C-alpha cells in the first residue's frame, strides 16, 4: 500500500469513528432533548399509532378510541363524556391530558413497564406494548344519581365508602364533553377557547379542585374537638351560650337562624344548627383545639392524591379569638373541597377511622392480567371510637328531628349535617347550600356510604337556599343508589377497636 492510500485509509477510519461517536452522542446523550423537542413529530406519531387503554367504571368502558385515518391515527372518545369528565379528565392531541388520563397516562398509552407480560422479551424486541386499562372505584348508579340531582346547577358531589376510602361518586356541574378536545385543528381550538372562557367554568373539577366555605357542616369538626378534649362531657347538658354571642375582642354580635339557641345543649345546638353555641365552643377551645382536630380530618394537607392532586382544604393556623369563633362555624378563612367534607362524614360513620380516599381500584394489561391493585390504608385516626359514637348520635338527630329531614331513608340509619355558607364581600353573595351525610343498614356497625354535596345555585332566591332543602335530596339519592348496589368483590373489612 503506497503512502497516499494509507493516508486515505486513516482519514476514512477517522471519519467513520467521528460518525459513530456522533451517533452515540445523539442517541444516548441527547436522546432526552430530541424526545422533548416539540418539533419532533415522530413522538406524537408513535404515541397515537395505536388505541389507548380504557378507563373502566364497573365492567363498562367510559372511554374509547376512534380511527382518524390521519398521521395521528387514533384519538380519544368519551361515550358519556359530561357524566364522567370529573373522573377521566381529557386526553388531547393538542392540549395534553388531565385527571386520570394524565396521572395514568403511562398505563393507558402503553409506555409503563409494569404492563409487559414478558418484560425481557419486550426490552429485546422493542415492540410497543398495548395500553392497559384503569379500573376505577366509581359506582355507576351513584354517579348517575349525583349528576341527575345537580341537574346542571353549579356544584359538586363526592361519595366515599367509609370502610375502605373507595371513591364511589365524583361529580362536578356544569360539566363538559372531553371528546371536543381530543383531536387537532380549528374545531378543537375553538372548543378550548369556548370552554376555558366560559364563566361557569365547566372544566373545573369542583369536587376535588374547588374549595368553599363549609358553613355549618364544619360544626362536626368543632363538636369533635370539644368532645375529644373534654370541653363537653355531656351533649345533653345546657351550655353557657348567650344569644346573640359577641365575638371576643369585637363589637360584632353573632346571631342564629333558629330559635331556642340560648344556653342550648350541644345536642340541640347541633340538631337545629346554632351558630352562637359552636362559635363560643370554638373560642373556648382556642385555635390549637380547632385546628388540630381539623387536621386529623384531613384539612391543611397538601399531599393528598387520589391519584390526581386534591386542592388543600384550609383552616388558618394563626387566628385571634374572634376568628376562631367564626372558623368554628365554617366561616372566616376556613375552606373545604366536597371530597374533604365527605371525608369528615366518612370518618364519623367509620368509628373515627379516616381511610385514605382513592379512585383507582386496579390496573390490568391488554391481556386482562391484573398488574397492580390499590389496598385500603388508614390516613388518620380522626377521633376515638367513643367520640365517633357521640358524633353519630348528633348527626342522626339532624335527620330524624332536625334540619336534615329530607335525607331520611326508611329502614336505614342516616346521619347528616346541613350548612348554608355565606360568601362574597360582606357576605352579600348567594349562600352555598351544603349537606354531608353517611348511611348504613340498621344492623350494621359502620357506614356503607358517606356523601358531601354543595350547590352554588346562583340563580336561586337567597331566602330559599338551605342545605336541607337543596343539597340533602341529592345526598339521599346517592346514598340510596349505593345501598341498592351489590358490594364489590373482596370488600375490605376494617379492624375492630377504637
Amino acid at each position: 500500500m503506497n503512502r497516499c492510500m494509507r493516508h486515505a485509509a486513516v482519514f476514512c477510519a477517522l471519519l467513520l469513528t467521528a460518525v459513530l461517536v456522533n451517533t452515540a452522542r445523539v442517541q444516548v446523550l441527547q436522546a432526552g432533548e430530541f424526545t422533548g423537542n416539540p418539533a419532533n413529530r415522530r413522538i406524537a406519531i408513535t404515541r397515537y399509532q395505536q388505541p389507548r387503554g380504557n378507563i373502566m367504571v364497573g365492567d363498562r368502558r367510559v372511554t374509547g378510541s376512534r380511527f382518524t385515518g390521519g398521521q395521528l391515527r387514533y384519538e380519544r372518545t368519551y361515550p358519556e363524556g359530561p357524566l364522567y369528565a370529573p373522573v377521566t379528565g381529557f386526553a388531547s392531541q393538542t392540549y395534553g391530558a388531565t385527571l386520570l388520563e394524565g396521572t395514568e397516562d403511562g398505563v393507558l398509552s402503553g409506555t409503563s413497564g409494569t404492563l409487559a407480560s414478558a418484560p425481557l422479551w419486550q426490552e429485546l424486541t422493542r415492540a410497543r406494548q398495548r395500553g392497559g386499562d384503569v379500573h376505577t372505584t366509581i359506582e355507576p348508579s351513584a354517579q348517575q344519581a349525583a349528576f341527575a340531582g345537580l341537574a346542571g346547577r353549579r356544584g359538586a358531589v363526592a361519595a366515599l365508602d367509609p370502610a375502605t376510602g373507595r371513591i364511589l361518586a365524583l361529580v362536578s356541574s356544569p360539566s363538559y364533553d372531553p371528546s371536543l378536545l381530543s383531536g387537532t385543528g380549528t374545531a378543537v381550538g375553538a372548543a378550548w377557547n369556548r370552554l376555558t372562557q366560559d364563566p361557569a367554568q365547566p372544566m373545573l373539577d369542583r369536587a376535588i379542585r374547588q374549595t368553599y366555605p363549609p358553613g355549618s357542616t364544619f360544626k362536626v369538626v368543632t363538636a369533635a374537638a370539644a368532645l375529644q378534649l373534654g370541653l363537653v362531657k355531656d351533649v345533653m347538658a345546657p351550655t353557657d351560650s348567650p344569644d346573640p354571642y359577641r365575638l371576643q375582642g369585637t363589637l360584632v354580635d353573632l346571631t342564629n337562624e333558629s330559635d331556642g339557641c340560648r344556653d342550648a345543649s350541644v345536642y340541640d345546638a347541633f340538631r337545629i344548627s346554632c351558630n352562637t353555641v359552636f362559635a363560643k365552643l370554638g373560642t373556648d377551645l382556642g385555635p390549637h383545639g380547632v385546628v388540630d382536630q381539623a387536621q386529623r380530618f384531613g384539612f391543611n394537607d397538601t399531599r393528598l392524591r387520589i391519584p390526581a392532586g386534591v386542592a388543600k382544604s384550609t383552616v388558618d393556623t394563626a387566628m385571634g379569638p374572634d376568628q376562631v369563633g367564626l372558623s368554628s362555624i365554617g366561616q372566616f378563612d376556613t375552606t373545604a373541597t366536597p371530597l374533604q367534607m365527605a371525608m369528615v362524614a366518612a370518618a364519623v360513620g367509620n368509628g373515627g377511622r379516616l381511610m385514605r380516599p382513592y379512585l383507582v381500584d386496579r390496573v390490568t394489561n391488554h391481556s386482562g392480567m391484573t398488574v397492580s391493585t390499590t389496598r385500603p390504608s388508614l390516613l388518620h385516626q380522626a377521633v376515638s371510637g367513643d367520640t365517633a359514637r357521640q358524633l353519630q348520635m348528633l348527626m342522626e338527630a339532624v335527620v330524624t328531628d332536625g334540619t336534615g329531614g329530607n335525607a331520611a331513608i326508611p329502614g336505614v340509619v342516616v346521619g347528616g349535617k346541613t350548612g348554608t355558607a355565606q360568601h362574597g364581600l360582606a357576605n352579600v353573595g348567594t349562600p352555598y347550600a351544603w349537606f354531608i351525610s353517611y348511611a348504613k343498614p340498621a344492623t350494621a356497625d359502620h357506614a356503607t356510604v358517606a356523601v358531601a354535596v354543595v350547590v352554588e345555585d346562583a340563580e336561586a332566591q337567597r331566602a330559599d337556599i338551605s342545605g336541607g332543602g337543596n343539597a340533602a335530596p341529592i345526598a339521599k339519592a346517592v346514598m340510596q343508589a349505593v345501598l341498592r348496589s351489590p358490594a364489590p368483590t373482596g370488600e375490605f373489612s376494617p379492624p375492630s377497636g377504637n
Side-chain angles (χ1 to χ4, degrees):
M1 182 182 293
N2 62 33
R3 183 180 178 185
C4 290
M5 293 180 65
R6 285 198 304 272
H7 286 175
V10 170
F11 182 68
C12 289
L14 289 173
L15 287 177
L16 180 60
T17 301
V19 170
L20 293 173
V21 169
N22 187 60
T23 300
R25 178 181 64 85
V26 170
Q27 292 185 338
V28 178
L29 299 179
Q30 292 186 293
E33 180 182 338
F34 284 108
T35 298
N37 192 321
N40 186 356
R41 187 72 172 165
R42 287 179 177 274
I43 302 301
I45 292 172
T46 301
R47 181 180 183 82
Y48 297 109
Q49 73 176 353
Q50 66 181 21
R52 282 170 75 81
N54 284 300
I55 297 173
M56 308 289 292
V57 172
D59 57 359
R60 296 168 50 211
R61 300 181 181 93
V62 297
T63 57
S65 293
R66 181 179 70 86
F67 182 68
T68 67
Q71 201 174 46
L72 305 181
R73 296 177 65 190
Y74 290 93
E75 67 180 39
R76 202 54 147 164
T77 60
Y78 299 88
E80 300 173 87
L83 175 62
Y84 290 108
V87 176
T88 63
F90 62 78
S92 171
Q93 294 173 352
T94 306
Y95 299 107
T98 61
L99 300 178
L100 281 185
E101 291 277 29
T103 61
E104 305 303 300
D105 181 67
V107 169
L108 297 167
S109 66
T111 58
S112 173
T114 62
L115 295 173
S117 301
L120 181 59
W121 176 254
Q122 197 78 22
E123 187 67 24
L124 290 172
T125 61
R126 295 291 185 181
R128 186 172 175 82
Q129 175 74 34
R130 290 290 299 272
D133 293 337
V134 175
H135 299 254
T136 70
T137 58
I138 296 294
E139 167 53 52
S141 61
Q143 186 82 0
Q144 291 160 1
F147 189 79
L150 285 171
R153 292 176 292 175
R154 294 190 198 185
V157 179
L160 295 167
D161 176 353
T164 63
R166 296 170 61 249
I167 296 175
L168 304 175
L170 209 60
V171 170
S172 178
S173 179
S175 189
Y176 72 104
D177 184 359
S179 297
L180 297 173
L181 306 176
S182 294
T184 60
T186 56
V188 172
W192 175 266
N193 291 333
R194 184 173 66 254
L195 290 169
T196 55
Q197 294 171 19
D198 189 334
Q201 297 181 283
M203 294 175 68
L204 173 63
D205 193 339
R206 288 171 164 85
I208 63 171
R209 297 279 174 83
Q210 179 67 38
T211 59
Y212 302 87
S216 290
T217 60
F218 193 79
K219 291 172 184 173
V220 177
V221 178
T222 305
L227 290 166
Q228 279 288 111
L229 295 175
L231 179 64
V232 172
K233 294 182 172 58
D234 180 1
V235 296
M236 297 296 185
T239 59
D240 182 15
S241 304
D243 182 10
Y245 170 66
R246 177 155 295 183
L247 294 173
Q248 198 172 111
T250 75
L251 298 177
V252 176
D253 286 336
L254 195 64
T255 58
N256 299 290
E257 296 290 335
S258 304
D259 295 327
C261 290
R262 183 184 300 275
D263 298 331
S265 67
V266 169
Y267 179 88
D268 286 331
F270 195 92
R271 180 176 58 82
I272 61 176
S273 204
C274 296
N275 290 332
T276 51
V277 173
F278 282 92
K280 185 176 185 299
L281 276 179
T283 304
D284 292 342
L285 285 165
H288 292 298
V290 175
V291 173
D292 290 351
Q293 181 60 66
Q295 291 180 163
R296 284 193 288 273
F297 277 113
F299 282 81
N300 293 339
D301 187 347
T302 60
R303 298 171 296 177
L304 187 62
R305 301 287 186 272
I306 62 169
V310 178
K312 181 177 76 168
S313 299
T314 60
V315 177
D316 201 325
T317 57
M319 295 184 286
D322 59 318
Q323 297 164 338
V324 176
L326 288 173
S327 289
S328 299
I329 59 171
Q331 298 291 339
F332 184 52
D333 286 342
T334 303
T335 63
T337 62
L339 178 62
Q340 171 61 73
M341 295 314 297
M343 290 163 62
V344 171
V348 173
N350 194 39
R353 294 169 56 86
L354 175 60
M355 305 303 288
R356 185 180 299 277
Y358 63 97
L359 185 56
V360 175
D361 180 58
R362 69 187 191 281
V363 169
T364 57
N365 66 14
H366 184 65
S367 301
M369 182 177 72
T370 298
V371 297
S372 68
T373 302
T374 304
R375 293 295 301 160
S377 62
L378 182 69
L379 182 62
H380 296 294
Q381 182 71 45
V383 293
S384 68
D386 183 61
T387 295
R389 284 187 286 273
Q390 293 183 79
L391 291 172
Q392 288 170 14
M393 179 174 65
L394 297 179
M395 292 183 70
E396 288 160 19
V398 169
V399 176
T400 58
D401 191 27
T403 56
N406 283 336
I409 302 173
V412 175
V413 177
V414 178
K417 185 68 191 80
T418 54
T420 306
Q422 311 293 330
H423 72 103
L425 186 63
N427 290 333
V428 297
T430 304
Y432 299 133
W434 277 95
F435 191 74
I436 67 173
S437 60
Y438 64 81
K440 60 182 179 180
T443 57
D445 292 330
H446 294 82
T448 303
V449 56
V451 183
V453 179
V454 63
V455 181
E456 297 180 31
D457 203 10
E459 301 303 318
Q461 294 294 317
R462 185 182 178 95
D464 294 338
I465 295 282
S466 75
N470 286 359
I474 301 173
K476 175 181 178 178
V478 174
M479 291 186 291
Q480 286 178 313
V482 173
L483 291 167
R484 285 194 296 260
S485 301
T489 303
E491 184 166 346
F492 173 77
S493 297
S496 59
N498 293 346

